[in-house]
Amino acid sequence: MKILHIITRFNSGGTATWLNQLMDGEVFEKDENYLSFGRCSKSELEAIPNQNYRVIRINNLQRQINPWRDLRATIELSKLIKKLNPEVINTHTFKAGIVGRIAVRICHKKSMVVVHTVHGHLKYGYFNPLVSKIILRVERFLERSTNGFIVAGHKLLQELQNESLLMNSVVKVILPGFRSSQTRSSRDSEKKIKVGWLGRLTQIKRPDRVVEIARLLPNIDFYMGGSGELEGEITHNSPGNLHVVGWVDPNQFWSDKDLGLLTSDNEATPYAIIEGNMSGIPFVATRVGSVEDVVVDDVNGFLTKQDSQEMANRIMELAENRELRMKMGRQALKLAEEKFGVTRFQEEHRDFYVRLMDERASG
């Protein structure tokens, strides 16, 4: 099978992790796997693609809206599609989803199976209300050009359908896949609790809440991994017990932490929590979006309101009760391995592609 994945840019974060985990194993090793993407912005770090991809750059593809560059990117992609003639095209992220599916229409390649993966919310946090309305209209139109959709979470699918999206489409919910981390440092002899936060430093993730919580808990050390447009502001406002460390390898980041923290106003399936759980880390997280697909309240962590004081209280509860912290950490690893295994993740993708190809051939 020849598969072309198209993503707007390959910046360090959830979607790049998703695509790299997809190739981390034997499920797709006999297939031809292509990955095409554009440019990162200056505030982003570009991730390294899995070596099992054949990488092709689309020079004019970028996250920012630019009609001239977007047109040129569409033409570049249409030429690439004609040249490769893949059996499956899987687009990822909103911009690549638009440009990629329009490029397929230009090519008139009706034999191709077109899949779009929805990794996050179209409405919340990244766009103003007018742009969000336009995005929703475009997505409804492009459903007609898409054979199937992969959605990264049950709650995310529910919210999309509440916006009258994917009501009559072929949809598969696939949760992310990860390998468990074996790099867990001993923390028995250390007195100060370490709390980790990992993600993009952007408004929807609410890194400002980490600053507030750190001020409420001066005897606990907080570490923020990631980068983004709010990095300078967060660094400037940080108290002495909050350390902004930039982009880091997730396994290395979580290896010496006692607790994890997620402060977002909304989330698709939260990669940071899964990665932390795979290292045996319990979490305190806001009860938003698809977080409940990962955190079971009072089992592998605590779910809270979007309130810094309540989150601080829960962190203190775990910090002061080592037995509870260890118990939740064991549950975190157990649940993560059961629900987010990488082989299951890969096989669900391949089975979905084959199903859609069979339906296209018989229809």
Side-chain angles (χ1 to χ4, degrees):
M1 191 188 325
K2 186 183 290 187
I3 307 164
L4 171 62
H5 292 273
I6 304 171
I7 181 173
T8 306
R9 79 273 195 224
F10 207 67
N11 59 307
S12 292
T15 309
T17 299
W18 175 287
L19 284 163
N20 278 342
Q21 294 286 358
L22 195 58
M23 291 298 120
D24 186 24
E26 301 178 355
V27 173
F28 286 98
E29 68 176 1
K30 295 182 179 179
D31 300 302
E32 288 185 52
N33 303 290
Y34 294 86
L35 175 63
S36 185
F37 56 86
R39 301 179 302 159
C40 288
S41 67
K42 292 181 180 179
S43 65
E44 295 174 321
L45 177 67
E46 187 167 280
I48 300 173
N50 187 290
Q51 62 183 1
N52 292 322
Y53 284 115
R54 305 177 193 187
V55 175
I56 303 168
R57 289 272 186 179
I58 302 297
N59 294 320
N60 288 288
L61 187 57
Q62 60 182 17
R63 183 171 183 261
Q64 292 78 14
I65 295 174
N66 182 312
W68 176 238
R69 282 192 175 275
D70 296 343
L71 175 60
R72 294 175 67 181
T74 304
I75 294 171
E76 280 186 79
L77 272 174
S78 64
K79 290 179 179 178
L80 174 63
I81 291 167
K82 287 179 181 178
K83 179 181 177 181
L84 290 180
N85 194 31
E87 294 160 276
V88 176
I89 294 177
N90 193 163
T91 57
H92 305 260
T93 65
F94 169 69
K95 185 71 169 289
I98 293 176
V99 172
R101 284 179 283 178
I102 291 175
V104 173
R105 290 174 71 96
I106 292 173
C107 294
H108 301 291
K109 294 285 188 179
K110 295 185 178 180
S111 61
M112 294 178 182
V113 165
V114 179
V115 179
H116 180 60
T117 300
V118 184
H119 293 273
H121 301 273
L122 301 173
K123 280 186 65 181
Y124 303 104
Y126 295 107
F127 307 102
N128 65 50
L130 176 60
V131 174
S132 294
K133 286 183 180 180
I134 294 172
I135 287 172
L136 291 171
R137 288 182 180 274
V138 171
E139 282 294 331
R140 291 186 189 114
F141 172 76
L142 288 173
E143 282 191 41
R144 307 171 198 170
S145 305
T146 313
N147 300 103
F149 289 85
I150 294 170
V151 180
H154 298 282
K155 186 66 178 294
L156 176 58
L157 175 59
Q158 179 184 333
E159 294 189 2
L160 292 168
Q161 291 179 335
N162 288 343
E163 296 295 330
S164 299
L165 291 168
L166 311 187
M167 299 299 291
N168 300 302
S169 300
V170 179
V171 179
K172 174 71 174 177
V173 172
I174 300 181
L175 299 176
F178 294 86
R179 296 194 186 281
S180 61
S181 170
Q182 301 302 316
T183 56
R184 186 80 179 114
S185 301
S186 174
R187 297 279 295 134
D188 291 345
S189 61
E190 297 190 34
K191 295 180 180 180
K192 223 172 181 184
I193 294 293
K194 291 184 176 182
V195 177
W197 183 102
L198 186 61
R200 286 184 63 203
L201 295 173
T202 191
Q203 182 60 31
I204 192 68
K205 303 291 187 181
R206 294 302 302 271
D208 57 297
R209 284 197 181 113
V210 187
V211 175
E212 294 173 0
I213 294 167
R215 293 188 188 283
L216 291 169
L217 302 174
N219 294 320
I220 292 177
D221 278 334
F222 291 80
Y223 294 81
M224 296 187 73
S227 186
E229 63 269 20
L230 297 181
E231 183 173 1
E233 178 183 336
I234 295 299
T235 302
H236 178 73
N237 293 326
S238 295
N241 62 325
L242 174 55
H243 315 278
V244 181
V245 298
W247 283 115
V248 291
D249 175 77
N251 288 340
Q252 182 180 5
F253 180 77
W254 292 117
S255 67
D256 66 344
K257 303 300 183 295
D258 299 288
L259 305 172
L261 177 63
L262 182 137
T263 53
S264 302
D265 278 341
N266 212 346
E267 276 285 338
T269 303
Y271 288 72
I273 296 181
I274 302 170
E275 290 165 337
N277 285 174
M278 285 292 187
S279 291
I281 305 293
F283 266 75
V284 174
T286 47
R287 190 191 294 271
V288 297
S290 295
V291 172
E292 288 177 279
D293 280 339
V294 182
V295 178
V296 181
D297 191 29
D298 212 22
V299 176
N300 62 338
F302 290 123
L303 294 172
T304 74
K305 295 181 293 186
Q306 293 154 259
D307 179 77
S308 297
Q309 184 64 64
E310 183 181 354
M311 302 193 86
N313 292 343
R314 288 304 201 178
I315 290 170
M316 276 303 300
E317 185 174 346
L318 286 169
E320 293 175 345
N321 189 335
R322 184 180 184 279
E323 183 178 347
L324 176 62
R325 193 169 69 246
M326 295 297 105
K327 177 182 176 181
M328 284 190 168
R330 290 190 295 271
Q331 284 297 313
L333 177 58
K334 178 176 182 290
L335 292 175
E337 289 181 330
E338 290 173 355
K339 200 169 186 179
F340 299 102
V342 72
T343 301
R344 180 272 317 159
F345 169 71
Q346 296 165 356
E347 289 176 344
E348 287 186 354
H349 271 83
R350 200 175 197 287
D351 291 347
F352 190 58
Y353 295 157
V354 171
R355 170 191 164 189
L356 293 175
M357 289 173 62
D358 290 344
E359 290 177 357
R360 172 53 69 98
S362 62

